[in-house]
Amino acid sequence: MPSDQPQKVTDPQSMRALAHPLRLQLMDLLGIEPELTATECAERTGESVASCSFHLRMLAKYGYVELGEPRGREKPWRLVSRNRTVGPDVENPESVREASAFARIVVEREADRLLRTIGRAAELGPGWDQSMVINTSSFWLTRDELTEVMDRLGAFTDDIVARYGHRREDPASRPDDARVVHFLGALSPDPDLDTHSTADHEQ
């Protein structure tokens, strides 16, 4: 079973190893199901078994996935940890660059996934087509206040995992009408606005 211990990734090479479309897709799949073989990954991604096997081994090399208990001759893979943070080592310029590049890839993937859902909302079925929530908001915060909000958002997502995370490991616990739901949360300072409003400067 994957560990709940936080996995902190700051090494540039490890970030580059993860920043691959199929590897990110494999990580998504293993975040939904407890274990998958290369054959099962190939069925879900449309890639070849050989390709999935290669990229799973690369993910294992950098500590993202590991082999589970053998199923006869089959070799299932699982995540090393479900609690993973990819971020820069601020004292390492290469790490900062790679973290920025990785963040861009993640945002683009999630935006594309959300756009696909919006475009196919009618296919979701009764009730589900009204189930998407997209909220935006802007406010003035200090850096310390932003950190506090980030901590509260983290606690909120931890609560969701505590309530429903067991359904990943135990398919029998999933209600008949349950489906995979993706969460994307982001807090970001605006780089185009000064730290004080125009009105403050005019006073």
Side-chain angles (χ1 to χ4, degrees):
M1 180 178 296
S3 169
D4 289 326
Q5 291 297 315
Q7 185 181 31
K8 177 70 173 178
V9 181
T10 60
D11 175 66
Q13 193 169 3
S14 295
M15 285 188 273
R16 283 195 296 270
L18 187 58
H20 181 284
L22 181 54
R23 293 175 196 170
L24 288 171
Q25 189 176 5
L26 293 172
M27 293 290 286
D28 280 350
L29 290 172
L30 290 170
I32 296 169
E33 300 292 347
E35 293 184 344
L36 291 170
T37 65
T39 299
E40 291 169 332
C41 288
E43 292 170 351
R44 287 164 170 77
T45 62
E47 300 288 336
S48 69
V49 175
S51 179
C52 288
S53 181
F54 169 78
H55 288 291
L56 286 165
R57 291 197 304 272
M58 290 300 295
L59 288 170
K61 177 181 178 180
Y62 289 95
Y64 295 111
V65 305
E66 62 186 3
L67 285 169
E69 293 297 323
R71 307 177 195 163
R73 298 177 62 182
E74 295 183 329
K75 297 179 180 179
W77 295 87
R78 64 191 180 196
L79 295 179
V80 168
S81 174
R82 293 195 182 281
N83 188 349
R84 181 177 55 261
T85 301
V86 179
D89 174 356
V90 295
E91 296 183 356
N92 183 341
E94 185 182 6
S95 176
V96 173
R97 288 194 298 272
E98 291 297 333
S100 178
F102 181 78
R104 178 181 293 274
I105 291 171
V106 170
V107 170
E108 289 174 347
R109 287 184 78 246
E110 293 301 321
D112 183 62
R113 175 153 48 196
L114 182 57
L115 289 171
R116 288 200 310 273
T117 302
I118 293 171
R120 299 174 58 188
E123 301 175 24
L124 296 175
W128 285 101
D129 56 349
Q130 300 294 323
S131 63
M132 288 182 294
V133 176
I134 302 175
N135 290 327
T136 62
S137 185
S138 301
F139 25 76
W140 291 90
L141 296 177
T142 66
R143 187 168 58 182
D144 288 343
E145 290 168 339
L146 177 57
T147 299
E148 180 184 354
V149 174
M150 291 169 61
D151 290 342
R152 293 176 66 181
L153 180 60
F156 170 70
T157 55
D158 287 345
D159 179 61
I160 295 175
V161 172
R163 291 189 185 192
Y164 307 113
H166 66 283
R167 294 179 180 176
R168 293 180 298 205
E169 307 295 338
D170 180 17
S173 68
R174 302 170 189 170
D176 291 339
D177 61 343
R179 66 189 307 154
V180 175
V181 174
H182 298 284
F183 172 77
L184 171 63
L187 291 166
S188 58
D190 192 323
D192 296 323
L193 296 177
D194 294 334
T195 54
H196 299 287
S197 69
T198 302
D200 290 336
H201 288 300
E202 292 177 348
Q203 288 179 357

